[in-house]
Amino acid sequence: MAPSINNPFKGGQQHFLLRYKGVFLTLAVVVLIGIVVTNGNSNNQEEQVPARLMHAAEAAIARNRGASSLRKHKQQEEQPVQEEEDEEIKTEINDDDETDDESFPRLTLEEYPKWLKKYSRKLQWASRENKFEQRLTKDTLMESFHLGRTNLGANQKKDGSFNYQYDFVSGEMDEEDSQVRQAGAFWGVVLCYQFEQTQESKNTVEKGVEFFMKHAVDGPIDDTILIHYPGESRSDTGTNALVALGLIDYLRTINDNSIDIDSSHKQMLETKLRKLINFLKWVQKDNQHFASSFQIDNNLPTKGFSSYYDGEAMLALVKAAKYLKKYKDLVPLIEDASMVLAKAYTVDVWRSDEHDSDQTKGFYQWSSMFLYEYYDGTGWKDANVFGDYVLVLSHWIINTHGVLHRQKNTGYAFEGIISAYHVAQQRNNDKATEALAYAIDRGLYKLTSWQVGGPLQDENPFLVEHGTTEEIAVGGVMNARNEAPLRIDTTQHQMHAVVMAIESSLYDDTR
């Protein structure tokens, strides 16, 4: 019998009231107008409804329509699932999507940690009255991992890059490409090798190394390089950060497992990594964000920045400083940037944009991973604060963003949720631990049923109807339960989440 875990999400009254606050306010204004009109008519007066009341009604209606329109626009990519699910999967939204400035105030950098701690303590992790049984097992996850790892290798081209997207029903290969997702796939195969070392997996990693090092060119200053992806006029910061992450975790794997490797080859990896790290430092702005890309033609960084790339760059810097001895000098930079970026993508955008902000979503899993690494045993400045951050963001992704009810693949989110699960365990926060365990189990179970030829394929009617044994399809993960195109980064993110789940204590037999 699988161990029982409390259902942390129940009820929906609070969610209903919060979600439709704008509608209630609009109705209240309309009723008020009606009272004025009625009073005017009963006294046989000819005065009209005061203009300010009419303007108020129109403004309230417009705001409500605007909010609805924005929500519809944001949900085009990830709409709530319209499928039958059992009652225990339904979650309670405890966060207000339209929270006012009082809840998300203007804060100085010095005030932010105190606010974050207070906000974290007020999180409503639902009670543990209703039990549920785990659906996943470690054996199921291991089978999924082996299939996914094989799929990533099968989709590697001769030059070391990867097939970007393949439709296994139509048989069409998508010729589009993405330099960042290619770099992410490279990091993904390194993580697979780090988890389980096989010669075949190492060969895949080395082909990836060869490809990206072939396209590494001198950077804007001495002792820097950047990735000039074929056919591109710019080098994205995310591309360089993800290639750096691949080299960091490959070198960690070599060192931790005393893997025999030619000394000159290892030295090349170390040299290339140093120059990539120097490039990431160079593109960091005075405001602690990172330029989103470097324009190769004019040798200048872009003015803008990206929530995704900020998180990816910080994860690379944190991992280098934490796990490789030569990068301890990065710690002051990391300490300065982490608080600035955490504040920018939470309270600041929640006040200026909306609570379910796309900027928070872009930063979400990357920041959860790098700030968990920061929090966990480094002794760096304000480390404990970032434990609060990781828990707050996990509550946000589950409740405000509604990750369990998205119809597109959300494997990326569990890279962050599992990071939060570790924080909750380490803090002996039982309610948070159980809520996160529930989210991990239910979410990954659903996503595993989207894996072609996977251990849960029989639970997906689309996969049953379109079964295949094609090598470049089996083990790939769909972006929705009934969409045949298999994109390389979808499989990469989900396999990383699967590995993280296996390595956690959630599926230990002793739990």
Side-chain angles (χ1 to χ4, degrees):
M1 177 70 70
S4 294
I5 303 178
N6 298 319
N7 176 4
F9 306 122
K10 58 189 181 62
Q13 295 176 347
Q14 185 176 3
H15 169 43
F16 178 82
L17 292 172
L18 293 173
R19 196 66 167 175
Y20 295 99
K21 179 177 70 176
V23 176
F24 296 148
L25 290 174
T26 302
L27 290 175
V29 173
V30 173
V31 169
L32 180 59
I33 293 172
I35 292 172
V36 173
V37 172
T38 301
N39 288 339
N41 290 338
S42 64
N43 293 323
N44 294 318
Q45 297 175 343
E46 296 180 355
E47 59 184 345
Q48 297 178 349
V49 177
R52 59 187 174 83
L53 288 179
M54 289 298 295
H55 292 325
E58 292 170 357
I61 293 169
R63 281 196 301 272
N64 184 57
R65 286 175 177 169
S68 298
S69 176
L70 179 60
R71 280 194 293 270
K72 289 178 181 177
H73 176 73
K74 285 170 61 60
Q75 290 171 355
Q76 285 179 354
E77 180 179 2
E78 294 185 30
Q79 297 177 348
V81 175
Q82 302 297 321
E83 60 181 299
E84 294 184 4
E85 297 184 278
D86 58 50
E87 288 298 315
E88 63 189 4
I89 263 190
K90 294 181 179 178
T91 65
E92 176 180 359
I93 306 295
N94 294 319
D95 295 312
D96 183 359
D97 285 344
E98 300 175 5
T99 307
D100 57 23
D101 288 352
E102 185 177 350
S103 296
F104 301 132
R106 295 184 183 277
L107 301 171
T108 65
L109 198 61
E110 292 71 25
E111 292 170 332
Y112 178 66
K114 184 177 180 180
W115 176 87
L116 188 65
K117 183 176 183 179
K118 183 179 179 181
Y119 189 86
S120 176
R121 288 182 174 179
K122 288 184 176 181
L123 293 179
Q124 298 179 33
W125 302 103
S127 63
R128 300 180 290 166
E129 298 173 0
N130 300 324
K131 300 287 185 178
F132 79 95
E133 292 185 353
Q134 287 181 344
R135 291 179 173 179
L136 284 172
T137 65
K138 181 172 284 189
D139 287 344
T140 299
L141 291 169
M142 284 297 299
E143 183 179 349
S144 177
F145 163 73
H146 287 137
L147 289 167
R149 179 183 62 184
T150 301
N151 178 266
L152 291 172
N155 278 281
Q156 189 174 41
K157 301 177 184 178
K158 291 182 179 180
D159 67 359
S161 65
F162 297 85
N163 294 325
Y164 176 65
Q165 182 169 272
Y166 175 66
D167 187 321
F168 72 94
V169 173
S170 69
E172 295 179 3
M173 185 68 72
D174 192 334
E175 297 302 325
E176 290 188 13
D177 207 354
S178 164
Q179 58 172 292
V180 177
R181 288 167 177 164
Q182 287 282 350
F186 167 63
W187 182 46
V189 297
V190 171
L191 292 172
C192 290
Y193 180 64
Q194 185 178 48
F195 177 64
E196 189 177 83
Q197 293 89 55
T198 67
Q199 188 59 49
E200 184 178 7
S201 186
K202 183 180 180 182
N203 293 342
T204 302
V205 170
E206 283 292 347
K207 284 178 67 177
V209 168
E210 182 179 1
F211 174 81
F212 282 103
M213 294 307 96
K214 178 181 178 180
H215 297 290
V217 300
D218 289 340
I221 61 173
D222 288 343
D223 208 34
T224 64
I225 59 171
L226 56 86
I227 304 301
H228 186 179
Y229 195 80
E232 296 281 5
S233 62
R234 72 178 194 276
S235 180
D236 288 342
T237 296
T239 302
N240 292 281
L242 288 162
V243 172
L245 279 165
L247 296 181
I248 290 165
D249 285 321
Y250 190 30
L251 287 167
R252 285 180 61 198
T253 305
I254 291 168
N255 295 336
D256 293 347
N257 297 278
S258 301
I259 292 173
D260 186 26
I261 187 172
D262 181 78
S263 59
S264 62
H265 185 60
K266 183 179 180 183
Q267 185 176 15
M268 181 275 292
L269 296 174
E270 292 171 338
T271 299
K272 297 295 187 182
L273 174 60
R274 184 188 73 243
K275 293 183 177 184
L276 279 172
I277 293 293
N278 286 342
F279 175 74
L280 293 177
K281 291 164 61 179
W282 186 83
V283 296
Q284 189 176 28
K285 299 170 173 286
D286 292 340
N287 63 5
Q288 305 295 349
H289 293 273
F290 296 79
S292 61
S293 63
F294 180 82
Q295 299 297 328
I296 295 171
D297 293 343
N298 60 20
N299 214 41
L300 290 173
T302 55
K303 294 181 179 179
F305 55 83
S306 156
S307 57
Y308 291 92
Y309 298 171
D310 280 352
E312 291 161 359
M314 286 299 296
L315 181 59
L317 297 179
V318 168
K319 279 197 161 189
K322 185 174 181 179
Y323 295 111
L324 300 177
K325 295 178 181 179
K326 298 179 180 180
Y327 295 98
K328 303 305 179 187
D329 63 321
L330 293 175
V331 173
L333 179 158
I334 292 166
E335 291 176 336
D336 290 344
S338 293
M339 196 70 72
V340 172
L341 296 177
K343 175 176 174 289
Y345 289 116
T346 54
V347 65
D348 289 349
V349 298
W350 293 345
R351 183 186 65 254
S352 63
D353 182 13
E354 63 171 326
H355 200 185
D356 191 8
S357 170
D358 284 344
Q359 294 185 64
T360 305
K361 176 178 175 285
F363 196 58
Y364 168 67
Q365 90 268 23
W366 301 107
S367 64
S368 294
M369 288 189 284
F370 87 72
L371 289 175
Y372 172 67
E373 293 283 6
Y374 189 130
Y375 165 81
D376 184 37
T378 63
W380 297 344
K381 180 182 177 182
D382 295 323
N384 201 53
V385 171
F386 296 119
D388 297 332
Y389 173 95
V390 173
L391 288 178
V392 167
L393 264 289
S394 68
H395 192 272
W396 175 89
I397 196 74
I398 295 168
N399 293 292
T400 302
H401 193 63
V403 72
L404 292 183
H405 298 296
R406 297 285 169 170
Q407 69 177 13
K408 296 294 186 180
N409 191 294
T410 55
Y412 69 88
F414 295 93
E415 295 171 311
I417 294 172
I418 296 169
S419 298
Y421 176 78
H422 291 306
V423 175
Q425 278 194 313
Q426 291 169 16
R427 290 185 167 186
N428 296 315
N429 186 333
D430 292 340
K431 284 188 175 182
T433 299
E434 296 302 299
L436 294 165
Y438 174 89
I440 294 164
D441 186 71
R442 287 303 191 256
L444 286 183
Y445 187 93
K446 178 178 76 174
L447 296 181
T448 302
S449 74
W450 297 0
Q451 184 178 37
V452 178
L456 302 179
Q457 173 179 275
D458 289 346
E459 299 192 16
N460 186 327
F462 182 83
L463 289 178
V464 171
E465 180 181 354
H466 299 285
T468 180
T469 58
E470 196 173 6
E471 186 180 21
I472 59 173
V474 174
V477 181
M478 299 188 295
N479 196 37
R481 60 177 178 166
N482 57 357
E483 293 184 3
L486 305 172
R487 205 172 68 195
I488 196 71
D489 62 305
T490 305
T491 302
Q492 171 248 315
H493 279 297
Q494 187 158 320
M495 289 308 101
H496 186 205
V498 165
V499 166
M500 292 176 72
I502 294 169
E503 292 181 327
S504 75
S505 63
L506 181 55
Y507 296 102
D508 286 350
D509 294 337
T510 58
R511 187 180 188 278

